Amino acid sequence: MITREPAIICGRPYVDASFGSVDPRVRLEWRIAEGDSAAADQLLFTAQGPARALLTAERTALNFLQLLSGTATAAHSYAALLEGTKCRLLDTRKTLPGLRTAQKYAVRVGGGHNHRMGLYDGILIKENHIMAAGSIAGAVAAAKLGSPQVPIEVEVENLSELQQAIAAGADIAMLDNFSPEAMREAVAANANAAKPLKLEASGGITTATIRDIAETGVDFISVGSITKHVRAIDLSMRFEWQTRLPAQ
C-alpha cells in the first residue's frame, strides 16, 4: 500500500480490523507509525495472505485509511498554525454519518482536540434555543436545571450577548463570525468580568486567518470543515503474487 500524495497517516487500527475480520491469516507489516507524515509514493504497509481475503478487505481498509488520513491531514494543517499560542483547535459535530468516533479520533491524531461527541457531554445554546427560551439567561438556566454537571456554551453575535452569557453563568462563549477587532474587544471585556468564560472563535475560519484569530487571545478555534469537507487521500494497493503462503 502506498500513498500517492503527502499526508498525515491515520487509520491503522481500522485497517488492521478490516483485514483481520475477513481472514486472520492476513499479516500486515506497517512501515509508518500512526500520525506520522508520509511523502508521495511512500510505502505505508505490506499485507500478505490469500488473494481472496486481500481483495475482499481491500476497499473497506482503503476507505478508512483514505478518509481518516484526509481528516488528520486537514486537522494538522490548522493545528500547526497555532503552534506557539495558547489557543487550541477544536472539531465540531459536523461529521459524516456513522463515522463520528472515527473522525474525531483522526482529529486528535492530526493535532486537534475534540469539542463534544454529542448532546450529552456538552450543551451549545444557539440562536434558535435562545429564541425558544426567550433569552440567554432563560436558556442557560434551563440547561443548568436539566444537566447541572455538563458544560454550557452560548453562541453570541455581539458584545451585549457576551455580557448576557457571562451574567447567566455560562462556561464558554462562542464568538460567532466576530471580526478580529471585535474578538479583541470581547477578550478584554471577558478578562474584566468577575467570572471570565472560556472563549471560542467560530465561523468561516481558514488557514489564512486562523493565526490572526488565535493572537486575539481566544482560548479555542473551532473549524467544521476539517471533518465535513474532508477530501480522501489518494492511496494505491499493488499486488505481488506467490503460489502459496510460507509455512506458518
Side-chain angles (χ1 to χ4, degrees):
M1 183 78 69
I2 66 170
T3 175
R4 295 187 180 276
E5 59 182 312
I8 302 297
I9 299 303
C10 177
R12 280 184 49 164
Y14 295 86
V15 172
D16 293 343
S18 297
F19 284 106
S21 64
V22 171
D23 192 328
R25 291 176 294 173
V26 174
R27 298 195 299 275
L28 300 183
E29 183 180 341
W30 284 92
R31 305 297 180 85
I32 190 169
E34 188 85 327
D36 278 0
S37 177
D41 298 320
Q42 183 172 337
L43 176 63
L44 304 181
F45 69 86
T46 60
Q48 188 175 46
R52 179 179 296 274
L54 295 176
L55 291 169
T56 299
E58 173 189 5
R59 187 69 265 157
T60 300
L62 263 69
N63 282 348
F64 275 120
L65 195 60
Q66 289 179 303
L67 172 69
L68 300 187
S69 293
T71 303
T73 300
H76 179 76
S77 70
Y78 283 90
L81 296 172
L82 297 180
E83 291 182 4
T85 73
K86 295 181 180 180
C87 188
R88 296 194 300 176
L89 173 71
L90 299 180
D91 56 19
T92 72
R93 291 192 303 122
K94 298 172 184 177
T95 53
L96 300 183
L99 292 172
R100 178 167 296 168
T101 300
Q103 282 197 287
K104 283 184 170 283
Y105 162 73
V107 167
R108 296 196 304 274
V109 170
H113 299 266
N114 296 152
H115 194 311
R116 55 179 183 154
M117 289 297 295
L119 301 177
Y120 60 89
D121 61 345
I123 296 174
L124 176 56
I125 297 173
K126 298 174 71 69
E127 180 182 9
N128 288 338
H129 303 116
I130 296 169
M131 291 289 291
S135 66
I136 289 176
V140 172
K144 286 179 176 291
L145 182 64
S147 303
Q149 304 303 319
V150 175
I152 297 173
E153 180 171 2
V154 180
E155 182 182 85
V156 301
E157 297 180 353
N158 50 57
L159 290 176
S160 174
E161 291 185 352
L162 173 60
Q163 295 291 0
Q164 293 175 56
I166 294 172
D171 300 295
I172 309 170
M174 175 189 288
L175 309 180
D176 183 41
N177 287 301
F178 276 46
S179 67
E181 294 76 14
M183 285 185 198
R184 282 189 282 270
E185 291 180 25
V187 169
N190 183 61
N192 290 326
K195 187 180 178 182
L197 311 182
K198 294 292 186 180
L199 297 181
E200 172 190 339
S202 182
I205 296 167
T206 68
T207 53
T209 61
I210 191 170
R211 182 74 185 197
D212 288 342
I213 292 172
E215 291 176 347
T216 65
V218 295
D219 302 287
F220 310 109
I221 296 175
S222 58
V223 181
S225 65
I226 59 178
T227 51
K228 70 170 182 165
H229 295 164
V230 63
R231 184 184 66 81
I233 298 300
D234 189 8
L235 305 177
S236 179
M237 184 170 175
R238 299 175 180 176
F239 270 46
E240 294 179 355
W241 294 96
Q242 291 181 334
T243 55
R244 63 181 179 83
L245 289 175
Q248 298 187 21

